[in-house]
């Protein structure tokens, strides 16, 4: 994302289990540093989260990361995950 701006990011993921974990957790990461996390004790669920972000003078890289500690399976639906990023004035 371009630097010097403010953003609102909203995401969701449809999860259908994990390999071994008893819970699922995703986090937004800014340049590889975990920023905002969302967790569920249910491994079959729709998990979602949002965050307000400020990019300094340099551009930032925003990613959604599985931090559950195990491989997750996405639900067998046509759209399995999504993210919306809006620049704020």
């Amino acid at each position: 994302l371009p630097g010097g701006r403010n953003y609102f990011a909203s995401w969701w993921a449809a999860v259908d289990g994990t390999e071994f974990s008893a819970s699922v957790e995703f986090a937004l990461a800014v340049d590889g540093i975990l920023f905002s996390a969302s967790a569920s004790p249910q491994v079959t669920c729709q998990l979602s989260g949002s965050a307000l972000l400020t990019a300094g003078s340099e551009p930032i890289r925003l990613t959604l990361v599985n931090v559950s500690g195990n491989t997750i399976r996405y639900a067998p639906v046509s759209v399995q995950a999504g993210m919306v990023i809006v620049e704020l004035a």
Side-chain angles (χ1 to χ4, degrees), residues 10-15 26 36-40 45-50 64 82:
S10 178
W11 62 270
W12 65 271
V15 180
F26 282 87
S36 174
S38 184
S40 173
C45 63
Q46 180 171 309
L47 198 59
S48 62
S50 60
L64 184 61

Side-chain angles (χ1 to χ4, degrees), residues 17-24 43 68-71:
T18 68
E19 293 295 316
F20 302 106
S21 191
S23 64
V24 292
V43 295
S68 300
N70 282 298
T71 302

Side-chain angles (χ1 to χ4, degrees), residues 4-68:
R5 300 177 184 166
N6 296 309
Y7 300 94
F8 175 76
S10 178
W11 62 270
W12 65 271
V15 180
D16 189 26
T18 68
E19 293 295 316
F20 302 106
S21 191
S23 64
V24 292
E25 183 175 9
F26 282 87
L28 285 177
V30 177
D31 293 330
I33 298 170
L34 299 181
F35 181 74
S36 174
S38 184
S40 173
Q42 299 177 347
V43 295
T44 300
C45 63
Q46 180 171 309
L47 198 59
S48 62
S50 60
L52 292 171
L53 307 161
T54 298
S57 58
E58 298 294 319
I60 61 172
R61 177 174 293 169
L62 180 64
T63 54
L64 184 61
V65 181
N66 169 17
V67 292
S68 300

